[in-house]
Amino acid sequence: MRRFFGFDSGDEDELDPGQTLSSGSSSSGAFRVGEKLSIKGEIVGEGDLELAGRFEGIVNVNGRVVVGERAEVDADISASNIVVGGKVRGNLNATGRVEILPQGVLTGNLKSGSFAAADGALVKGEIVVDRGRGRIEVGGGQP
């Protein structure tokens, strides 16, 4: 079943499904969208998320989101921390840190408490760093 959804290719020598693409360190409990999957929809909840395939929609999680090197994402992403190693078209909103890796491409606006872009990273859009950010705002404006 895990192989069907792209979580396990069947190779015994592969990395654990919870391992992140950016650092290779274990991130147990992370939900992973495999490289061979294409998903449209909304992901909402608590926990870490790794996007390695194609995703279109909305991501709103209280956790870490890692966009893999081969991933193509058309989505607005709200999370505690966001790491972009692939292509993202959409707005990023993080209470913590947003990191764009050397091969990462972001086309959209970014709001976070901390921001870093490696040499070679591409960012097209507005960047707002607000060190006083305490939580993610979801939904409409304040009453």
Side-chain angles (χ1 to χ4, degrees), residues 109-124:
N109 298 328
L110 180 152
K111 293 182 183 179
S112 72
S114 174
F115 171 73
D119 287 343
L122 178 61
V123 178
K124 291 182 179 181

Side-chain angles (χ1 to χ4, degrees), residues 15-32 35 48-52 64-69 81 83 85 99 101 103:
L15 299 174
D16 291 336
Q19 251 182 329
T20 64
L21 297 174
S22 63
S23 64
S25 63
S26 180
S27 162
S28 64
F31 179 76
R32 183 173 192 272
E35 287 184 28
D48 297 336
L49 172 65
E50 182 180 336
L51 300 171
R64 181 177 186 212
V65 174
V66 176
V67 177
E69 292 179 13
N81 296 295
V83 178
E99 182 178 354
L101 301 179
Q103 66 281 5

Side-chain angles (χ1 to χ4, degrees), residues 26-70:
S26 180
S27 162
S28 64
F31 179 76
R32 183 173 192 272
V33 175
E35 287 184 28
K36 296 179 182 178
L37 288 178
S38 179
I39 297 176
K40 292 182 181 181
E42 186 173 354
I43 299 174
V44 178
E46 293 191 24
D48 297 336
L49 172 65
E50 182 180 336
L51 300 171
R54 292 179 184 255
F55 179 78
E56 181 179 333
I58 296 172
V59 175
N60 186 352
V61 297
N62 185 11
R64 181 177 186 212
V65 174
V66 176
V67 177
E69 292 179 13
R70 296 185 192 141

Side-chain angles (χ1 to χ4, degrees), residues 1-8:
M1 181 71 102
R2 291 177 57 82
R3 186 180 309 162
F4 177 79
F5 286 108
F7 298 118
D8 182 11

